[in-house]
Tab-separated table of all heavy atoms in Angstrom:
chain	number	residue	atom	x	y	z
A	305	SER	N	-2.594	-27.828	10.619
A	305	SER	CA	-1.968	-29.132	10.434
A	305	SER	C	-1.599	-29.791	11.738
A	305	SER	O	-0.988	-29.237	12.598
A	305	SER	CB	-0.660	-28.897	9.654
A	305	SER	OG	0.172	-30.127	9.678
A	306	THR	N	-2.031	-31.032	11.926
A	306	THR	CA	-1.728	-31.772	13.165
A	306	THR	C	-0.264	-32.073	13.222
A	306	THR	O	0.348	-32.197	14.289
A	306	THR	CB	-2.553	-33.090	13.239
A	306	THR	OG1	-2.353	-33.797	11.998
A	306	THR	CG2	-4.026	-32.783	13.326
A	307	GLU	N	0.394	-32.220	12.035
A	307	GLU	CA	1.829	-32.476	12.054
A	307	GLU	C	2.687	-31.280	12.552
A	307	GLU	O	3.571	-31.415	13.339
A	307	GLU	CB	2.277	-32.786	10.588
A	307	GLU	CG	3.717	-33.133	10.446
A	307	GLU	CD	4.187	-33.425	9.000
A	307	GLU	OE1	3.275	-33.600	8.206
A	307	GLU	OE2	5.406	-33.513	8.781
A	308	PHE	N	2.148	-30.094	12.205
A	308	PHE	CA	2.820	-28.890	12.708
A	308	PHE	C	2.590	-28.717	14.171
A	308	PHE	O	3.524	-28.420	14.938
A	308	PHE	CB	2.277	-27.619	11.882
A	308	PHE	CG	2.959	-26.311	12.315
A	308	PHE	CD1	4.080	-25.931	11.627
A	308	PHE	CD2	2.478	-25.590	13.399
A	308	PHE	CE1	4.693	-24.723	11.974
A	308	PHE	CE2	3.111	-24.417	13.762
A	308	PHE	CZ	4.183	-24.010	13.033
A	309	THR	N	1.370	-28.924	14.678
A	309	THR	CA	1.075	-28.694	16.029
A	309	THR	C	1.776	-29.668	16.945
A	309	THR	O	2.098	-29.434	18.064
A	309	THR	CB	-0.471	-28.811	16.317
A	309	THR	OG1	-0.963	-29.973	15.759
A	309	THR	CG2	-1.193	-27.592	15.703
A	310	SER	N	1.906	-30.904	16.420
A	310	SER	CA	2.639	-31.964	17.240
A	310	SER	C	4.089	-31.565	17.425
A	310	SER	O	4.760	-31.904	18.436
A	310	SER	CB	2.576	-33.302	16.524
A	310	SER	OG	3.282	-33.232	15.252
A	311	LYS	N	4.712	-30.803	16.478
A	311	LYS	CA	6.055	-30.399	16.636
A	311	LYS	C	6.211	-29.037	17.392
A	311	LYS	O	7.113	-28.895	18.232
A	311	LYS	CB	6.706	-30.244	15.258
A	311	LYS	CG	6.964	-31.500	14.482
A	311	LYS	CD	7.658	-31.219	13.109
A	311	LYS	CE	7.968	-32.464	12.340
A	311	LYS	NZ	8.645	-32.133	11.076
A	312	TYR	N	5.325	-28.130	17.065
A	312	TYR	CA	5.557	-26.745	17.607
A	312	TYR	C	4.400	-26.266	18.504
A	312	TYR	O	4.498	-25.166	19.078
A	312	TYR	CB	5.674	-25.743	16.418
A	312	TYR	CG	6.772	-26.133	15.467
A	312	TYR	CD1	6.448	-26.685	14.171
A	312	TYR	CD2	8.103	-25.990	15.829
A	312	TYR	CE1	7.424	-27.095	13.327
A	312	TYR	CE2	9.105	-26.398	14.932
A	312	TYR	CZ	8.799	-26.808	13.659
A	312	TYR	OH	9.736	-27.226	12.815
A	313	GLY	N	3.372	-26.988	18.653
A	313	GLY	CA	2.208	-26.653	19.529
A	313	GLY	C	1.153	-25.813	18.815
A	313	GLY	O	1.414	-25.173	17.762
A	314	THR	N	0.002	-25.841	19.403
A	314	THR	CA	-1.194	-25.134	18.868
A	314	THR	C	-1.011	-23.680	18.911
A	314	THR	O	-1.389	-22.924	17.994
A	314	THR	CB	-2.468	-25.592	19.572
A	314	THR	OG1	-2.566	-26.981	19.558
A	314	THR	CG2	-3.747	-24.974	18.951
A	315	PHE	N	-0.426	-23.141	19.982
A	315	PHE	CA	-0.171	-21.723	20.131
A	315	PHE	C	0.616	-21.159	19.037
A	315	PHE	O	0.249	-20.095	18.493
A	315	PHE	CB	0.362	-21.383	21.494
A	315	PHE	CG	0.646	-19.891	21.632
A	315	PHE	CD1	-0.404	-19.014	22.011
A	315	PHE	CD2	1.910	-19.345	21.459
A	315	PHE	CE1	-0.131	-17.643	22.145
A	315	PHE	CE2	2.189	-17.988	21.517
A	315	PHE	CZ	1.177	-17.164	21.927
A	316	SER	N	1.713	-21.810	18.637
A	316	SER	CA	2.535	-21.406	17.573
A	316	SER	C	1.760	-21.197	16.317
A	316	SER	O	1.905	-20.262	15.533
A	316	SER	CB	3.781	-22.257	17.478
A	316	SER	OG	4.560	-22.277	18.579
Side-chain angles (χ1 to χ4, degrees):
S305 167
T306 54
E307 183 180 348
F308 184 91
T309 55
S310 65
K311 289 182 179 180
Y312 305 106
T314 302
F315 176 80
S316 298

